[in-house]
Amino acid sequence: MTALALARSWRPKTFTQLVGQDHVVKALTHALDQGRLHHAWLFTGTRGVGKTTIARILAKALNCTGPDGKGKMTSEPCGKCPACVEIDEGRFVDYIEMDAASNRGVDDMAALLEKAAYAPSSARFKVYMIDEVHMLSTQAFNSMLKMLEEPPPHVKFILATTDPQKIPVTILSRCLQFNLKQMPVALIIEHLEKVLTAEKVSYEPVALRVLAKAAQGSMRDALSLTDQAIAYAAGAVNETAVRGMLGTLDDAYLISMLDALATHDGASLLAIAEEMGVRSMSFSLALQDLSSLLQKIAAAQVVPESVLDDWPEAGEIRRLVSVFTREEIQLFYQIAITSRTDISLAPDEQTGFAMALLRMLAFRPAGSGDLSQKTLPASTPVVKSSPKPAMKTETQSATKPATKEAPEILKEVPKASEAPKVSAVASAVSSSAASNGVPEAGRPNWHDLMRQLPLRGLVQQMAFQTDLQDWVDSSQGIKIIAVSSLPQLATADCVERLREVLATHFAKPVRLEVVGGVVDQSVAKIDAQVNQERRLNAEEQIATDPLIKELEKQFGAKVVSGSVRPL
């Protein structure tokens, strides 16, 4: 005899065996126990969550007569009386299951309603179960309105659909609607453990987690995939076999991708994509798993307690939290989810996946950081002593805002508190020449030099992202090594243009080399820090200004967040 599939052999027979739909079970059980029954129910939800199963259990509960044949309607069908047995076997004459996809016309509905007028042959109620009811035509819906509103006492309707939005409001208003939930991963794992233990099949917990995630909330899909995994692995359900069957990505691949992104290792990213292609893995599922992992990292960065110890990747998530900034994780997540739609437009899936990884690498600046969380790197401490006069004058001239006529309200804002905060950042700018490991004697301040040079466009952007690493001034010329946080900007043309400008400025031959790396203090970073300090200072002054407070009190005025700009 052919064995039944797990999804059929483990179909719940009573309300107590149902998994994950407690809200529906509670409502139906109370209605059956109290005898307060509606004449029509509508069950909605995605595939494999129990719509047809609940309909059959409800039909048994309505018509159960007990083992002795004298029982009444109950919320706990016995499973032994003729009604229960025949409904389970699909041959009960007064329980009619109709597929609306193949019987969607007005003539089919008219034939059904005509038979509904007759009393049940051997049951307490005649139960009509219409599956995928949203497939009925408009005329068929209209023809059943009267019967659905006031059916005969012996008739009950059970409607089921995966798309309730397509059902007319006139039908919805005549039914009690229950929305069945998708099964959470933890619940699917728990049920699969119970099933495999009863079936005497060995398994690995990690393999069940992979199956549960692949089921996407459907218990029927989870059981079907488990059946397939048992056949694929020839008995034992292990992680390697399950991932090979599904074509899903091992967590080790995902961690390797993120480690390669952290080290700007493009060769490793391409090698991972190539190996995935050789193993015929699903690149779309790989992007889905990657986005799921990135979401967990982003959540851990905000709420560290969100990482559960029973996750296999919990240790790696906690490690990666400090490797990337919050902005980088958000960027990677956005690229991952948008690339899932773009992958169908690529020449092939592997190319689309490789481009998604390279896009993450290209848009992640080297040494990028969150300025809102760390105003100054630890390697560049703020010097409390006053800087040299020459340095102070040059820095202040570079950061001094342009003067223009201010509105009357802003003219009254005191500016005494602005100087100390800006001067703290200016001190850090002045000390940056010493912080990069280059002595000051005989060497220019690199940041001031970049601001003074006549640079424009892309060359200026490249120069503002650099810091001086090495400077050798000899009789033959000057040898300069600069480190850039955006090495992709340091094209041969840009480097040559900057070299020519430096040679003209110093009237000496210049040999310039720009290398990629982490830059603690560049012109762009210092400018961003100064601007942020000045903006926060301006917001503080506006918030504490007596005139602004008076306007808020008398007229209900409100300062829009983010609208304050320093003059």
Side-chain angles (χ1 to χ4, degrees):
M1 180 178 177
T2 304
L4 283 177
L6 292 178
R8 293 182 60 188
S9 60
W10 283 87
R11 182 190 290 271
K13 300 294 192 297
T14 62
F15 286 123
T16 56
Q17 295 176 359
L18 273 171
V19 177
Q21 307 299 345
D22 295 340
H23 63 297
V24 180
V25 171
K26 184 177 181 180
L28 295 179
T29 299
H30 290 172
L32 289 166
D33 292 340
Q34 297 173 9
R36 298 179 63 86
L37 295 175
H38 203 268
H39 56 269
W41 296 271
L42 172 63
F43 298 132
T44 66
T46 186
R47 76 276 180 270
V49 293
K51 298 185 295 295
T52 304
T53 297
I54 293 178
R56 292 181 182 179
I57 297 175
L58 182 57
K60 289 193 293 183
L62 292 171
N63 292 306
C64 180
T65 59
D68 57 357
K70 299 180 181 180
K72 298 182 180 180
M73 184 175 59
T74 176
S75 60
E76 299 178 356
C78 65
K80 298 178 180 179
C81 66
C84 291
V85 173
E86 292 176 12
I87 289 176
D88 285 336
E89 294 177 354
R91 55 185 180 87
F92 191 60
V93 68
D94 290 318
Y95 175 66
I96 301 95
E97 285 190 3
M98 171 182 163
D99 179 18
S102 55
N103 301 276
R104 62 189 307 268
V106 64
D107 294 335
D108 299 316
M109 186 55 60
L112 182 147
L113 298 177
E114 183 180 353
K115 297 176 183 178
Y118 298 99
S121 58
S122 60
R124 190 177 294 117
F125 294 101
K126 182 178 287 187
V127 182
Y128 287 93
M129 193 278 179
I130 306 177
D131 198 10
E132 298 300 337
V133 69
H134 68 274
M135 299 292 289
L136 291 178
S137 64
T138 303
Q139 294 78 7
F141 274 125
N142 292 334
S143 66
M144 68 183 296
L145 285 177
K146 185 63 178 176
M147 177 66 76
L148 195 62
E149 183 175 10
E150 297 178 355
H154 60 269
V155 175
K156 302 293 182 184
F157 286 98
I158 302 177
L159 312 181
T161 179
T162 56
D163 194 356
Q165 305 298 328
K166 294 182 179 180
I167 300 178
V169 179
T170 51
I171 297 294
L172 295 176
S173 65
R174 287 166 167 81
C175 303
L176 290 184
Q177 183 174 348
F178 295 95
N179 183 26
L180 276 64
K181 302 175 183 178
Q182 285 189 320
M183 305 291 177
V185 172
L187 193 61
I188 294 178
I189 294 174
E190 181 182 347
H191 189 64
L192 291 181
E193 288 176 346
K194 177 182 176 182
V195 170
L196 293 179
T197 301
E199 295 287 335
K200 298 181 180 179
V201 177
S202 59
Y203 61 87
E204 293 180 0
V206 179
L208 299 188
R209 179 175 291 274
V210 176
L211 289 172
K213 290 173 65 177
Q216 297 182 343
S218 170
M219 188 64 78
R220 182 176 62 223
D221 286 5
L223 291 170
S224 299
L225 290 173
T226 304
D227 249 338
Q228 185 179 352
I230 294 173
Y232 184 87
V237 180
N238 56 74
E239 182 185 7
T240 303
V242 170
R243 290 193 183 277
M245 177 190 75
L246 297 176
T248 56
L249 204 60
D250 188 357
D251 288 340
Y253 279 89
L254 302 177
I255 301 301
S256 299
M257 290 179 197
L258 295 179
D259 286 337
L261 286 172
T263 57
H264 295 265
D265 190 353
S268 296
L269 290 176
L270 295 178
I272 292 172
E274 183 68 26
E275 185 176 353
M276 288 173 56
V278 172
R279 295 181 59 182
S280 300
M281 292 182 173
S282 171
F283 292 100
S284 179
L285 288 178
L287 287 173
Q288 177 180 328
D289 292 341
L290 180 59
S291 60
S292 177
L293 177 61
L294 290 169
Q295 184 274 330
K296 292 179 180 178
I297 296 174
Q301 288 178 328
V302 180
V303 184
E305 306 84 50
S306 62
V307 182
L308 303 181
D309 293 332
D310 59 346
W311 290 354
E313 69 278 15
E316 295 293 344
I317 290 176
R318 293 189 178 101
R319 178 180 65 85
L320 292 170
V321 162
S322 58
V323 173
F324 299 101
T325 64
R326 297 181 184 181
E327 289 79 4
E328 289 170 336
I329 293 297
Q330 294 291 337
L331 174 65
F332 296 161
Y333 176 81
Q334 190 66 25
I335 293 176
I337 60 175
T338 55
S339 296
R340 289 189 65 191
T341 57
D342 295 343
I343 202 170
S344 60
L345 305 176
D348 55 78
E349 283 199 353
Q350 181 175 335
T351 301
F353 181 77
M355 282 301 297
L357 297 181
L358 294 178
R359 193 176 300 125
M360 295 178 187
L361 185 63
F363 282 94
R364 178 186 182 245
S368 59
D370 186 1
L371 293 177
S372 64
Q373 296 180 6
K374 50 178 184 178
T375 56
L376 288 175
S379 59
T380 311
V382 176
V383 181
K384 295 184 179 180
S385 59
S386 59
K388 294 183 179 181
M391 293 293 186
K392 184 174 182 180
T393 303
E394 292 172 355
T395 305
Q396 289 178 344
S397 64
T399 59
K400 184 177 179 180
T403 58
K404 60 181 181 179
E405 189 67 16
E408 291 297 323
I409 293 179
L410 294 179
K411 283 184 179 181
E412 299 181 13
V413 176
K415 299 184 179 180
S417 61
E418 181 176 354
K421 293 189 177 181
V422 178
S423 63
V425 180
S427 300
V429 177
S430 304
S431 61
S432 61
S435 67
N436 58 21
V438 181
E440 295 183 15
R443 293 167 177 79
N445 184 305
W446 182 259
H447 303 136
D448 292 341
L449 177 61
M450 292 301 102
R451 291 189 179 93
Q452 294 171 7
L453 294 177
L455 303 174
R456 295 292 183 272
L458 191 58
V459 180
Q460 184 186 54
Q461 294 298 320
M462 180 204 70
F464 278 22
Q465 296 292 341
T466 62
D467 198 2
L468 184 61
Q469 187 180 67
D470 193 18
W471 177 285
V472 178
D473 191 353
S474 63
S475 57
Q476 288 80 19
I478 304 174
K479 179 182 177 181
I480 305 173
I481 299 179
V483 59
S484 173
S485 60
L486 289 177
Q488 57 267 36
L489 295 179
T491 62
D493 292 340
C494 289
V495 174
E496 176 61 21
R497 174 58 182 156
L498 180 57
R499 188 200 64 79
E500 292 175 353
V501 174
L502 286 169
T504 303
H505 180 79
F506 290 105
K508 281 186 177 183
V510 173
R511 179 183 174 187
L512 175 63
E513 182 179 356
V514 179
V515 298
V518 177
V519 179
D520 291 333
Q521 287 294 315
S522 64
V523 178
K525 279 191 176 183
I526 293 173
D527 288 348
Q529 292 167 5
V530 171
N531 291 334
Q532 182 167 349
E533 290 284 351
R534 296 178 64 247
R535 180 180 62 80
L536 294 176
N537 191 26
E539 290 180 352
E540 181 180 349
Q541 293 178 42
I542 289 294
T544 57
D545 182 70
L547 178 58
I548 298 298
K549 289 184 176 181
E550 188 67 22
L551 291 175
E552 292 176 342
K553 180 179 179 181
Q554 292 188 9
F555 302 103
K558 182 180 179 181
V559 178
V560 179
S561 178
S563 64
V564 179
R565 296 289 184 270
L567 293 177

